[in-house]
Amino acid sequence: MDRIRIRGGRPLHGQVRISGSKNAALPLMAAALLTEETLRLTNLPHLADIATLANVLRQHGVELRINGEAEGGSGGSVLELTAARIINARAEYELVRKMRASVLVLGPLLARQGYAEVSLPGGCAIGTRPVDLHLKALETLGARIELEEGYIKAEAPNGLKGAEVVFPKVSVGATENLLMAAALAAGETRLVNAAREPEIGDLAACLTKMGAAITGVGTDTLTIQGVARLHGAEHAVIPDRIETGTYAMAAAITDGELELVGADVGQLRAAMEKLTEAGLRVVESNRGITVSRSNGRLRGIDVSTDPYPGFPTDLQAQFMALMATADGASMVTETIFENRFMHVPELHRMGANITIDGSTALVRGRERLVGAPVMASDLRASAGLVLAGLAAEGETVVNRVYHLDRGYEHMEEKLAVCGADIERVRENR
Ligand code: UD1
């Protein structure tokens, strides 16, 4: 397994190009299952998760052409997906266990084929993460669903029927699955208490280009008039707001200045407000944003994660690293996932002063962190540890960086160009 070695304490200066959003790209790729025509996605990031979903889609018979060429490997910046014929409506455990978002094929397969078998994803480091909301909502649209031998077996032989779905809890994935399923269901579907993340808006925009009729985008109630068929389209994936927030914090934690080219700060207002309160200066331009400290040391402030438009849980670990070096104390409350403080014991190894009480962490800022070998437990935790390493005195080695590769495109290269002393230590195979 590769590791990342960082010698910290160097302020970052320069430009970082923000990649296309992983969390927007995944449902967009799954949407290709809804039509026999070609869906052309541009601004796709090069990431392990994109390659995993590409493999899932290939199993279903989707033809993928990356940058215009047929290819068997990972994602590229332009991806054409053609699901002319679904040859297999079963998503195997071996692929789904690698990435939970593979469950996003369930809604489209069921809507198009009237049948789907998708492995249950299993647990994950940050919580149990069930898919009950996806399944109940699909049942409301008339699907018959059984769990057998670790698989979700869903059928709707006469097609899905539009209905009102009231989500008891906001779920990004369930909203996306239902949005795709409802696009081909008969009649009207209303999704109440739907997630409002910008990635949902991006999916709705793409589905609309494919011929879907969706209203209420950006609100918590989405109304979809089902259509008999969808067609091909071209769509550019939105910039990654989590990558944007991560690099904004990299600039701040190292007391440097980064221009984040292509960043869309409009998708990140709550986080940017909090970061500004903590002492970041964010200057918007038509190219993106430039981030630095407003003056001196950062201040400890309290943050609670929430569904959009609240502070994103996917920035919580990075924010905690930032607060570990701030002046004063900070309370960080995690409301989305039950076990998303796995980075805390690792930050302790670097000298951070953090106490956990249930879903709240009290961070008492320190002037300096100290480099140490640490272990990444999940994608965003890894990014938090990299940030801490950039600020720490001495050497930090982040182990298990495959987590990072799932969601950050060329992170060590982007940071190195801006002056970080960072390198990937490849495993001897
Ligand atoms: C998506 C994002 C992930 C982000 C999360 C919350 C992708 C690929 N991933 O994950 O990066 O951290 O949103 O913003 O877009 N839940 C249930 N039952 C369900 C579904 C969810 O109880 O059927 C719970 C989850 O365990 C979690 C909460 O609802 O506690 C929110 O999860 P959800 O919004 O569904 O997250 P994902 O779509 O998996």
Side-chain angles (χ1 to χ4, degrees):
M1 273 177 265
D2 291 359
R3 286 167 289 159
I4 282 185
R5 185 190 293 140
I6 307 163
R7 290 178 196 89
R10 298 172 63 144
L12 300 181
H13 284 277
Q15 277 184 354
V16 175
R17 193 189 70 80
I18 298 303
S19 301
S21 157
K22 167 182 87 76
N23 286 354
L26 295 172
L28 289 169
M29 288 169 69
L33 290 166
L34 291 165
T35 172
E36 67 272 18
E37 293 180 15
T38 299
L39 178 63
R40 187 166 195 271
L41 298 176
T42 62
N43 197 32
L44 222 78
H46 262 108
L47 296 171
D49 273 9
I50 300 291
T52 302
L53 188 60
N55 287 332
V56 174
L57 294 174
R58 250 179 226 115
Q59 279 199 344
H60 300 314
V62 180
E63 248 177 60
L64 290 116
R65 292 169 72 82
I66 293 162
N67 289 333
E69 290 163 29
E71 213 217 56
S74 65
S77 60
V78 179
L79 181 63
E80 289 178 356
L81 307 102
T82 314
R85 220 165 52 84
I86 307 286
I87 55 168
N88 173 9
R90 181 173 159 103
E92 297 292 341
Y93 175 64
E94 278 315 306
L95 287 172
V96 177
R97 74 177 174 84
K98 283 194 186 169
M99 187 188 59
R100 304 182 46 82
S102 309
V103 80
L104 290 171
V105 300
L106 180 63
L109 282 176
L110 189 58
R112 167 116 176 247
Q113 293 298 94
Y115 180 75
E117 270 183 41
V118 177
S119 168
L120 279 166
C124 127
I126 61 175
T128 48
R129 301 185 76 174
V131 288
D132 56 317
L133 299 173
H134 303 235
L135 305 189
K136 281 202 191 90
L138 288 169
E139 280 175 340
T140 310
L141 263 54
R144 278 202 310 272
I145 297 184
E146 294 194 20
L147 301 181
E148 266 175 42
E149 296 159 351
Y151 279 77
I152 303 160
K153 296 195 173 172
E155 51 177 36
N158 301 318
L160 295 169
K161 304 223 164 18
E164 179 167 280
V165 173
V166 182
F167 290 111
K169 182 175 182 178
V170 178
S171 161
V172 175
T175 303
E176 291 165 347
N177 238 333
L178 266 289
L179 198 51
M180 292 187 276
L184 285 184
E188 181 178 292
T189 299
R190 257 164 62 86
L191 304 178
V192 181
N193 199 24
R196 285 183 281 168
E197 270 65 4
E199 294 76 22
I200 309 268
D202 204 34
L203 175 63
C206 180
L207 291 171
T208 304
K209 288 180 194 165
M210 293 167 72
I214 303 168
T215 54
V217 177
T219 74
D220 63 2
T221 304
L222 296 167
T223 305
I224 305 110
Q225 302 292 342
V227 293
R229 64 179 291 279
L230 294 171
H231 50 74
E234 172 161 345
H235 186 77
V237 179
I238 53 171
D240 196 314
R241 64 194 169 100
I242 304 303
E243 192 194 28
T244 302
T246 303
Y247 285 108
M249 289 192 256
I253 203 167
T254 63
D255 199 6
E257 180 171 296
L258 291 179
E259 185 184 10
L260 309 181
V261 178
D264 179 356
V265 78
Q267 302 169 349
L268 208 56
R269 290 277 172 216
M272 286 304 170
E273 271 168 30
K274 282 292 175 186
L275 292 176
T276 307
E277 204 183 316
L280 266 74
R281 189 157 55 120
V282 180
V283 180
E284 296 180 38
S285 73
N286 52 9
R287 281 157 48 108
I289 56 172
T290 300
V291 184
S292 58
R293 285 191 196 173
S294 53
N295 54 30
R297 220 172 138 197
L298 298 166
R299 290 178 290 281
I301 56 154
D302 298 343
V303 152
S304 172
T305 63
D306 266 312
Y308 195 84
F311 189 95
T313 172
D314 286 350
L315 286 176
Q316 181 257 104
Q318 302 89 314
F319 183 76
M320 205 181 291
L322 191 72
M323 290 294 96
T325 63
D327 187 18
S330 156
M331 278 217 312
V332 178
T333 305
E334 171 59 50
T335 71
I336 311 286
F337 292 107
E338 71 262 34
N339 191 22
R340 210 171 197 182
F341 285 149
M342 306 270 282
H343 42 285
V344 171
E346 303 303 313
L347 290 171
H348 282 160
R349 297 174 51 72
M350 302 178 71
N353 182 347
I354 305 172
T355 320
I356 299 179
D357 182 10
S359 59
T360 297
L362 176 63
V363 188
R364 291 187 180 87
R366 288 246 154 107
E367 193 96 33
R368 277 255 158 257
L369 296 175
V370 210
V374 289
M375 190 78 80
S377 54
D378 67 77
L379 166 54
R380 306 303 170 184
S382 336
L385 297 175
V386 169
L387 293 194
L390 290 171
E393 247 163 42
E395 184 174 291
T396 297
V397 176
V398 183
N399 291 287
R400 299 202 180 158
V401 292
Y402 60 86
H403 288 296
L404 202 66
D405 297 334
R406 289 188 47 199
Y408 287 92
E409 189 174 45
H410 309 309
M411 191 181 205
E412 73 276 14
E413 288 165 33
K414 288 186 180 185
L415 289 169
V417 168
C418 298
D421 186 345
I422 183 169
E423 62 181 337
R424 179 177 289 253
V425 184
R426 298 211 178 261
E427 177 198 25
N428 291 327
R429 293 200 179 98

